[in-house]
Amino acid sequence: MVLGSPYMDKLGAERVLAHCMGRPWSADSDGETKENVLPPGWQKLDGLLAEGELKRVVIVRPALLSDGECRAGDPKKKQAGVQVGEEESGYTVSRRDTAHFIVEGALKNWDRWEGKGVCLVYH
């Protein structure tokens, strides 16, 4: 797998987030993290929130980040804009479009996105 290391890091972050949110995690369906990403006993690391302590969350899962322009704020470019959903079906999205979604989408429509994992990708 070409993107193996970044994927493992992302999986490790998701695993920690699930723990802090109190969500169940199954290595079979959610994925297994490697010890070089999350060592044994990571749940007891100093400074880590207790299991279930994190209550109000939106998980933003951008595809591979690029330094491109923001398409979401430009009506002429919306046709080739950002796909927002719970399934990834592309490869990249810009950092600017990710920030745009957080400010204009998630924060302004918190009730719609709270507790969900949102994938951002160009279509």
Side-chain angles (χ1 to χ4, degrees):
M1 176 188 299
V2 174
L3 297 175
S5 291
Y7 174 75
M8 279 294 132
D9 290 344
K10 187 175 177 179
L11 187 64
E14 292 269 346
R15 176 65 188 100
V16 171
L17 187 56
H19 169 81
C20 294
M21 292 174 68
R23 289 193 173 172
W25 185 271
S26 166
D28 292 334
S29 61
D30 297 317
E32 181 130 16
T33 56
K34 296 186 176 183
E35 284 189 20
N36 66 333
V37 175
L38 287 176
W42 63 266
Q43 297 91 335
K44 296 178 183 165
L45 288 172
D46 287 340
L48 183 65
L49 295 175
E51 186 173 2
E53 191 173 344
L54 193 56
K55 301 293 182 198
R56 302 193 66 211
V57 178
V58 172
I59 304 166
V60 179
R61 297 181 179 117
L64 185 64
L65 291 167
S66 70
D67 288 328
E69 62 189 336
C70 181
R71 298 179 186 179
D74 186 341
K76 295 176 188 172
K77 297 178 182 167
K78 280 208 178 211
Q79 293 293 57
V82 180
Q83 178 179 331
V84 178
E86 295 188 35
E87 298 279 329
E88 254 185 65
S89 62
Y91 300 102
T92 64
V93 68
S94 74
R95 288 173 176 83
R96 288 180 177 96
D97 274 317
T98 301
H100 186 273
F101 170 77
I102 291 168
V103 173
E104 299 297 328
L107 294 177
K108 289 186 176 179
N109 300 290
W110 188 259
D111 291 341
R112 176 178 177 193
W113 300 110
E114 182 179 7
K116 294 182 180 169
V118 182
C119 296
L120 303 177
V121 66
Y122 290 136
H123 56 86

